[in-house]
Amino acid sequence: MTGLRDRRRVWRRDHGAMLSGVCIGLAEDLDLPLPMVRIVTLLFLVLPTGLAYLALSMLLRRGPIAARQAAEAPRRTSHDNALLRHRLQALEPRLKRIEAFVTSSAFELDRGFRQMGE
């Protein structure tokens, strides 16, 4: 009787195992291709968790802080956009001057002198 019980027992296999040898043991015992057993195992692990997360994200309401923050979020008006555009346009000439200096030979020379002094 023990011979029959040992024949039907599924064993973990160390040979060819990726983690602990469960999938290769199942594949050998059930005479199935190993990649198929690994894919089915991965689906059984990931799919229920992903579906539960998706269901909970649709069923659960937002907490009071998140809902309040969403309601109080500042809305940009056309006036705000115009003000922001004006500020950016005012900064553009300064940025161009900085870019011109950084790419100039005077900057390279100053940097070389600073490196020699260190």
Side-chain angles (χ1 to χ4, degrees):
M1 186 91 175
T2 42
L4 181 62
R5 191 178 313 154
D6 286 342
R7 251 185 339 139
R8 289 302 309 156
R9 179 175 278 175
V10 179
W11 300 94
R12 288 187 309 137
R13 308 279 194 252
D14 291 332
H15 168 68
M18 288 183 78
L19 293 175
S20 63
V22 173
C23 288
I24 197 164
L26 284 172
E28 287 178 0
D29 188 62
L30 299 174
D31 197 28
L32 294 171
L34 178 60
M36 184 180 79
V37 173
R38 285 183 174 155
I39 290 171
V40 168
T41 303
L42 188 64
L43 286 176
F44 274 114
L45 289 173
V46 174
L47 196 59
T49 306
L51 289 175
Y53 183 84
L54 186 63
L56 287 173
S57 70
M58 289 188 275
L59 294 174
L60 296 177
R61 293 182 296 165
R62 288 185 183 268
I65 294 174
R68 191 174 344 118
Q69 285 175 344
E72 295 174 356
R75 306 218 186 272
R76 292 208 187 275
T77 63
S78 60
H79 175 70
D80 293 336
N81 289 338
L83 184 62
L84 186 59
R85 191 176 314 112
H86 176 72
R87 286 182 181 174
L88 289 174
Q89 286 173 349
L91 288 174
E92 190 168 348
R94 183 176 176 199
L95 182 61
K96 285 183 179 180
R97 284 194 312 270
I98 292 171
E99 183 181 9
F101 177 69
V102 169
T103 57
S104 71
S105 58
F107 178 77
E108 291 292 326
L109 187 62
D110 286 346
R111 188 171 64 175
F113 282 131
R114 271 186 266 127
Q115 286 176 349
M116 285 180 6
E118 291 177 357

